[in-house]
Amino acid sequence: MEKYGYRFSFGPWNIHEGADPFGPPVRPSLTFDEKLKVFNDLGFDAVQFHDDDAVPDLDDLSASEIAKQARAMRRRLEDHGLVAEFVAPRLWEHPMTIDGAFTSNDPKAREYAIERSKKAADIGRELGTNLMVLWLAREGTYMREAKDAVQATHRLLEAVNTLLEYDPQLRIAIEPKPNEPMDLAYIPTIGHALALGFQASDPSRVGALVETAHAVLAGLDPADEMSFALAFDKLWSVHLNDQNGLKFDQDRSFGSVDLRRAFNQVRVLDENRFYEKGMVGLDVKALRTQPAELATKHLRNSLHMFLRLVEVVRSLDRERINELIAARDYEELDWLILSALTGG
Ligand code: XUL
Ligand code: MN
């Protein structure tokens, strides 16, 4: 398979049981080794990890036990010819994080969040990656008056600085999302993520990850969100998927809802040589209706859609596009793009 210089990744959570808030799992869990085989079979290069995907039950383990298990995971990856792209601290499932992690009103919960994130950094080091993704799941409110938003912003900055200081090699990519699970999140857009990063003690080590669905949920265009980060060399990873309007975070297959929107994400990534900078992560989920033996096609489809769109982008007649832009003939430009997308 020609991958045009791109490397692809996903996380173990992207092969899942199909449960939703209204019903039980509809597919059995796959073991981690079964999932690793899917990475190989579908032509992926790297694994994205939550800290406890790599080291289960890490809250109950000593530092040396965590390091030992992380090293064992690294060997399993190597056996499959895979690498770890990043490690993300899972700061949203433990009872200590009910009302937030770094921005909880409870000092003990904030302390737990920092300690847990330091462990995630340790795991990343053992897995051979210095990239940490911070999806700030519960850093926001269900009740606007419940937290002080100015203080919460300072607490987020303090947490980032503490982690940068803890591990001098660490690079942090903040993944913005406007809502879910919180009603209102404190870091809803790439602008918020980068503003925080530029205020950090070492701004060169703070960047961002843009997820398609999260941008759509914020009412923004994912390609423009990516471009904003690319402009400052701050786009360190992406979570490509798709999203049908303003509803729950759907994580649909890339391009399956809005092909033009998917095309534009690939266009800005390719035009800015993202293949030299980061990996293409696919944060997609199989539909609940998909039987177990067919529940990896969302990953296959998303990867292949990305590659097809790279071909479309690279086949465009740049000179003609520049002429149309100069003539302000945007309707003809529209037709040129639509023709390319429909094989014309
Ligand atoms: C949540 C989300 C997460 C993060 C990783 O919406 O996108 O999968 O990407 O923790
Ligand atoms: Mn994501």
Side-chain angles (χ1 to χ4, degrees), residues 175 211 214 239 283:
E175 177 179 354
E211 171 163 329
H214 298 180
H239 269 172
D283 199 358

Side-chain angles (χ1 to χ4, degrees), residues 89 91 102 113-121 132 134 156-172 201 205:
L91 296 173
F102 303 131
I114 294 285
E115 289 314 306
R116 171 88 184 219
S117 304
K118 287 180 177 172
K119 288 179 182 173
M132 169 182 282
L134 282 185
L156 287 172
L157 185 57
E158 243 171 75
V160 166
N161 286 342
T162 303
L163 294 173
L164 292 175
E165 193 186 336
Y166 173 70
D167 181 347
Q169 303 301 318
L170 190 69
R171 295 157 66 237
I172 296 175
S201 54
R205 290 194 284 134

